[in-house]
Amino acid sequence: MSFSSPQAASHPLAPYGWDEGWEAEFSPYAEQGLLPGRVVRVDRGQCDVLTADGLVRADTAFVTPHDPLRVVCTGDWGAVDRDGDPRFVRTYLPRRTAFVRSTSSNRSEGQILAANVDHAIIAVSLAVELDLGRIERFLALAWESGAQPLVVLTKADLVPDVTGLSYLVQDVETTAPGVQVLPVSSATGEGVGVLAAVVSGGTSVLLGASGAGKSTLANALLGEDVMDVQATRDVDGKGRHTTTTRNLLALPGGGVLIDTPGLRGVGLWDAEAGVGQVFSEIEELAEGCRFHDCAHDAEPGCAVLAAIEDGSLPERRLESYRKLLRENQRIVAKTDARVRAEILRDWKQKGAEGRAAMQAKRGRVR
């Protein structure tokens, strides 16, 4: 949510998202003589911060907590020293939104990719077969972040058949209820103007796998070749990491864009609400189940299973829903003792039910 006032609108940082709300949040730090600025790039304990005085290189040593979700991130609004060598980011303002995924390490830590984002653009290449499950993962994290997701199908020029392209769009729309799905071609310009209009207000983060065409799309939105681009492999459509850091860039038509490196792993991080949003049709159906704790497995009166039976709900959607909920529960359980206890209790109950069913079956055989 943004706020505007004549004073905030005329601020040098207004094109980068500064508004009346941020101005009010920053007032205590202004009284301390600190300078507001937006973090446009973070690299090895230092960051580039855009201030009213220009671009500042600042140290983040004062904001290096043990919690990796509280480190300075691209998109943050920081309070920076007005002078000094080196200059420091003393703190950052409370985030309105944050895009977080779990790390690929065994430490079960969250990694924040971008902060204060209004639109999460999920780039999906049409040069390879659609991975609907991966799209659902991105969408779950995007909804959980608080941003509005948008799926962009890049390299649309590689699907010249209009009917075939419409079917691909429909497949993704079914996977992404309530989300705009936009086919785009940086080569022909198709859809670029529509996307530029969508992201012209606020901050957008560009997400996707390597080779999805994010840097090419960023250049199309920027109107110039700012981001390096590498060719994808013909054999599988995959690419190398063209972008190695997260960079915040002002768009000529308004708004700002955070470009990110290609993501090989898209692990959930405490994203139960986001998963529910992605599979909203399943959760709506579940309200009609006979039992409030229905697992949609074999229970009588299950509205979800009835929808699968009559063909109105694809079975793949239910399987993906279950998979993401289980994964998210495992992640949360690693840091929440209560959830671990609930999982253990559930396992014991199911084990007891299984043993009872087996004994009953043996009794009938005799």
Side-chain angles (χ1 to χ4, degrees):
M1 181 178 180
S2 61
F3 308 85
S4 61
S5 68
Q7 183 178 357
S10 62
H11 195 281
L13 293 176
Y16 286 85
W18 185 259
D19 58 33
E20 187 177 357
W22 293 123
E23 193 171 301
E25 289 275 8
F26 193 81
S27 58
Y29 305 108
E31 294 173 1
Q32 299 173 26
L34 297 174
L35 194 65
R38 190 148 201 200
V39 178
V40 298
R41 184 173 180 270
V42 179
D43 183 24
R44 299 177 183 176
Q46 291 189 314
C47 61
D48 294 333
V49 185
L50 189 66
T51 71
D53 295 342
L55 194 64
V56 171
R57 185 68 171 169
D59 199 300
T60 64
F62 280 87
V63 197
T64 53
H66 295 299
D67 184 353
L69 298 182
R70 298 179 63 190
V71 298
V72 173
C73 176
T74 302
D76 274 326
W77 285 99
V80 186
D81 293 330
R82 286 188 175 273
D83 50 36
D85 186 19
R87 294 168 76 165
F88 290 94
V89 176
R90 298 292 171 172
T91 188
Y92 60 81
L93 301 183
R95 293 161 176 157
R96 293 178 182 172
T97 63
F99 193 97
V100 180
R101 67 164 179 172
S102 67
T103 63
S104 57
S105 69
N106 294 323
R107 293 178 294 178
S108 302
E109 293 179 341
Q111 179 190 22
I112 181 165
L113 300 181
N116 302 312
V117 171
D118 301 294
H119 306 282
I121 306 171
I122 302 166
V124 180
S125 173
L126 290 177
V128 294
E129 185 177 352
L130 288 175
D131 186 341
L132 299 179
R134 188 178 182 86
I135 294 173
E136 287 162 347
R137 283 176 171 276
F138 272 112
L139 287 169
L141 292 176
W143 281 121
E144 191 70 32
S145 75
Q148 172 65 46
L150 167 66
V151 178
V152 172
L153 302 179
T154 65
K155 308 180 184 181
D157 55 290
L158 298 181
V159 188
D161 178 49
V162 176
T163 302
L165 180 60
S166 68
Y167 284 145
L168 291 172
V169 172
Q170 288 175 17
D171 286 344
V172 178
E173 286 176 338
T174 301
T175 300
V179 176
Q180 182 178 3
V181 179
L182 180 65
V184 168
S185 170
S186 300
T188 66
E190 177 189 354
V192 174
V194 176
L195 179 59
V198 171
V199 303
S200 62
T203 299
S204 303
V205 61
L206 190 52
L207 305 153
S210 298
K214 297 188 304 302
S215 294
T216 303
L217 184 58
N219 286 336
L221 290 171
L222 291 162
E224 55 182 319
D225 292 340
V226 174
M227 309 305 296
D228 291 333
V229 176
Q230 294 177 349
T232 56
R233 299 193 299 249
D234 290 336
V235 65
D236 57 9
K238 294 182 179 179
R240 291 170 290 173
H241 291 306
T242 300
T243 304
T244 56
T245 58
R246 290 176 282 278
N247 304 281
L248 186 148
L249 305 158
L251 296 172
V256 293
L257 179 70
I258 299 175
D259 191 21
T260 65
L263 299 175
R264 291 191 177 94
V266 194
L268 300 185
W269 180 260
D270 197 6
E272 182 177 357
V275 173
Q277 188 77 31
V278 176
F279 299 92
S280 57
E281 81 277 30
I282 294 179
E283 301 219 330
E284 289 174 5
L285 284 168
E287 294 178 1
C289 291
R290 181 183 301 177
F291 305 108
H292 75 279
D293 58 348
C294 183
H296 321 307
D297 188 13
E299 296 87 347
C302 176
V304 175
L305 294 180
I308 289 179
E309 188 70 25
D310 66 23
S312 59
L313 177 67
E315 189 170 355
R316 188 206 68 81
R317 285 283 284 171
L318 179 58
E319 291 174 354
S320 184
Y321 175 64
R322 287 169 172 164
K323 179 180 179 180
L324 292 185
L325 281 181
R326 285 195 302 268
E327 177 184 327
N328 189 71
Q329 190 178 44
R330 286 196 301 271
I331 289 293
V332 174
K334 289 180 179 180
T335 57
D336 191 322
R338 180 185 58 80
V339 174
R340 286 198 300 272
E342 289 178 355
I343 293 175
L344 181 59
R345 206 162 40 242
D346 185 52
W347 283 347
K348 287 181 177 179
Q349 180 180 346
K350 288 183 177 178
E353 291 173 351
R355 288 191 297 272
M358 183 61 68
Q359 289 173 357
K361 182 177 180 181
R362 287 173 179 170
R364 287 195 299 270
V365 169
R366 290 174 185 172

